[in-house]
Amino acid sequence: MRETRSTTKMLVEIGLIAGMYTAVTLLLAPFSFGPVQIRLSELFNYTALIKRRYIYGVTLGVLIANMASPTWLLDVPIGTIGTFVCLIVARWLADKTQKTWLKLTIFGAIFVVSMFTVAGQIALMGHVPFWPTYLTVAIGEAISMAIGGVLMAALLPRLTALAKAKS
């Protein structure tokens, strides 16, 4: 019985993260897609620092949100896989340090650099030049991750302690 509750709780948590990512992306849809974008829902990437399982929640949220993308044909598979890989790598690297600011910086840097995949999709399907698109998408990601980083710097110690207490 306890294992069923634990599994249910885990699935609910993953679903909540996915739902929040999707909701914020779609609510701010005019800014979430295209060659000039600031996808504020990217701040949920940092939740993978709280619990490793949130990697699945963010990845599921990306998959669902990207179904609304103008470049969904490429964005759903490439964006979803890219997010999953970046979250795993970022979490693995972040686990190598105890410093919160460095964990947040690692996450931010990895996601900003990874925007070449988004820029490539937009350039290919939107017939726009790659490098200017990469620049604008990377700047948008940097803004999103900076906002998320500031929020998480304030919240991470409390959220981590709360997650450990409830586990």
Side-chain angles (χ1 to χ4, degrees), residues 138-159:
I139 289 170
E141 184 72 3
I143 292 168
S144 297
M145 294 302 284
I147 292 168
V150 169
L151 290 171
M152 285 305 271
L155 296 175
L156 194 58
R158 291 184 196 122
L159 294 173

Side-chain angles (χ1 to χ4, degrees), residues 23-99:
V24 171
T25 302
L26 297 179
L27 216 85
L28 302 173
F31 306 105
S32 299
F33 303 103
V36 178
Q37 62 176 268
I38 299 175
R39 190 181 280 200
L40 287 177
S41 53
E42 287 290 286
L43 65 91
F44 290 106
N45 292 335
Y46 291 116
T47 62
L49 289 168
I50 300 166
K51 288 186 181 178
R52 193 172 261 97
R53 72 178 72 139
Y54 294 168
I55 290 171
Y56 301 112
V58 174
T59 303
L60 180 59
V62 169
L63 183 140
I64 295 166
N66 284 352
M67 289 180 187
S69 170
T71 58
W72 67 270
L73 188 63
L74 294 177
D75 211 4
V76 170
I78 294 170
T80 303
I81 293 167
T83 295
F84 185 67
V85 169
C86 285
L87 286 168
I88 289 171
V89 170
R91 174 64 195 243
W92 178 73
L93 288 171
D95 283 346
K96 306 276 184 219
T97 183
Q98 296 298 314
K99 298 177 190 253

